[in-house]
Amino acid sequence: MISGFAHARDLIYVSPLLKAYFSDEKVIETLWLCETCGINTTILRTDSDTIRILDKYWKRGGKIQWIAQTYPSEKDPTGNIQLALENGACGAFVQGNLADRFLRIGRRDLIEDSIAYIQDKGFIAGTAAHNLNVIRALEESAIEADFYMKTVHPDNYWSSRRPGQDAEVIDNREDNYWDLDPAATVRYMKNVSKPWIAYKILAAGAVTPEEGFRFAFGNGADFACVGMFDFQVVKNVNTLLNTFSA
């Protein structure tokens, strides 16, 4: 909501809509609403917009903590990470698309080095991934991540991955699936002891919160990263509470 990026398939107006709707004050108002509803952590990308708005919010007494999505690169492996850690993040992780690509090109070390760098600075560290092999590789690594973020969602929505869609998630032009094999994710993550933050659990708005929450938490997720407009917060929190009490 802050940086104006939205999975919207072929609806080209959605990302500009986010930027137009979520002014600095609207973002801060939304964070206050989340805090009132018991949400204590936000996951946001590391950029100047995020840093500016969170600084305003915290100076006004806001308490929500920030886990930073970061963007290490071969040319600059630590700059973006350091930017997050110097501006109030309580932890950080490698962005999922990057982790997928690093593994694919044989540079698992870039993920490992990023995690180690964050931990050496005294913060919790992890990685996100669409590709389950990223998590598998790190579970076999000498580097111990503190947490993982992994996509998971049911695949019964109308625009889910279809036969003939052979591209990896990160090369997916149809923009309608984020977990290549949800069943495999569920099976594997059940045996992973580290905390699992599930994301893309609503398949970018294609799955109802009722179904998405039930699927993620019913299949082993410890936390969920869920993008929301302000008018969805109260309903989604109540839906989650009902999911846990069912």
Side-chain angles (χ1 to χ4, degrees):
M1 65 180 183
I2 290 178
S3 301
F5 296 105
H7 286 287
R9 302 175 178 86
D10 58 345
L11 301 177
I12 60 176
Y13 67 87
V14 176
S15 291
L17 171 63
L18 288 178
K19 291 293 286 184
Y21 183 82
F22 280 115
S23 64
D24 286 12
E25 290 303 314
K26 175 56 71 173
V27 174
I28 292 170
E29 177 186 316
T30 304
L31 290 172
W32 280 117
L33 177 59
C34 289
E35 187 173 334
T36 301
C37 290
I39 296 170
N40 71 352
T41 305
T42 184
I43 294 176
L44 300 169
R45 61 183 277 120
T46 302
D47 63 20
S48 59
D49 289 333
T50 294
I51 291 168
R52 182 188 69 252
I53 294 173
L54 286 178
D55 183 61
K56 290 181 182 180
Y57 163 71
W58 287 328
K59 284 180 176 176
R60 297 179 191 180
K63 301 298 183 184
I64 288 180
Q65 59 191 351
W66 172 35
I67 298 177
Q69 177 173 280
T70 65
Y71 300 82
S73 68
E74 293 175 88
K75 292 184 178 180
D76 185 6
T78 62
N80 191 253
I81 294 172
Q82 189 62 30
L83 182 65
L85 302 183
E86 291 176 350
N87 284 280
C90 67
F93 63 93
V94 180
Q95 191 246 14
N97 285 1
L98 287 179
D100 293 344
R101 287 194 175 96
F102 290 158
L103 186 69
R104 185 172 62 181
I105 65 174
R107 293 300 307 272
R108 186 179 79 179
D109 60 296
L110 292 172
I111 308 172
E112 295 171 331
D113 290 348
S114 297
I115 292 171
Y117 181 84
I118 297 163
Q119 291 173 332
D120 287 346
K121 296 292 184 178
F123 297 84
I124 58 171
T127 190
H130 305 85
N131 187 337
L132 185 58
N133 287 331
V134 173
I135 311 300
R136 290 191 178 110
L138 285 176
E139 281 292 282
E140 297 170 359
S141 169
I143 298 295
E144 288 282 340
D146 297 301
F147 65 91
Y148 296 126
M149 289 186 66
K150 175 66 183 74
T151 50
V152 73
H153 52 70
D155 57 4
N156 57 353
Y157 55 97
W158 74 270
S159 60
S160 64
R161 185 171 183 269
R162 299 169 182 168
Q165 283 184 324
D166 298 323
E168 289 288 336
V169 175
I170 57 175
D171 295 324
N172 170 33
R173 295 183 179 181
E174 287 79 8
D175 195 34
N176 58 16
Y177 73 95
W178 295 271
D179 190 345
L180 191 65
D181 188 343
T185 295
V186 170
R187 286 193 304 270
Y188 187 81
M189 295 303 288
K190 283 182 178 179
N191 297 312
V192 173
S193 60
K194 299 176 184 67
W196 170 25
I197 304 173
Y199 74 114
K200 303 289 175 69
I201 69 169
L202 306 184
V207 174
T208 66
E210 289 83 355
E211 186 174 11
F213 291 156
R214 187 169 56 249
F215 188 87
F217 289 105
N219 284 300
D222 300 294
F223 305 93
C225 174
V226 183
M228 293 183 281
F229 282 94
D230 51 339
F231 57 82
Q232 296 172 308
V233 173
V234 171
K235 181 178 179 181
N236 282 354
V237 169
N238 287 330
T239 297
L240 183 58
L241 293 173
N242 290 337
T243 298
F244 285 140
S245 63

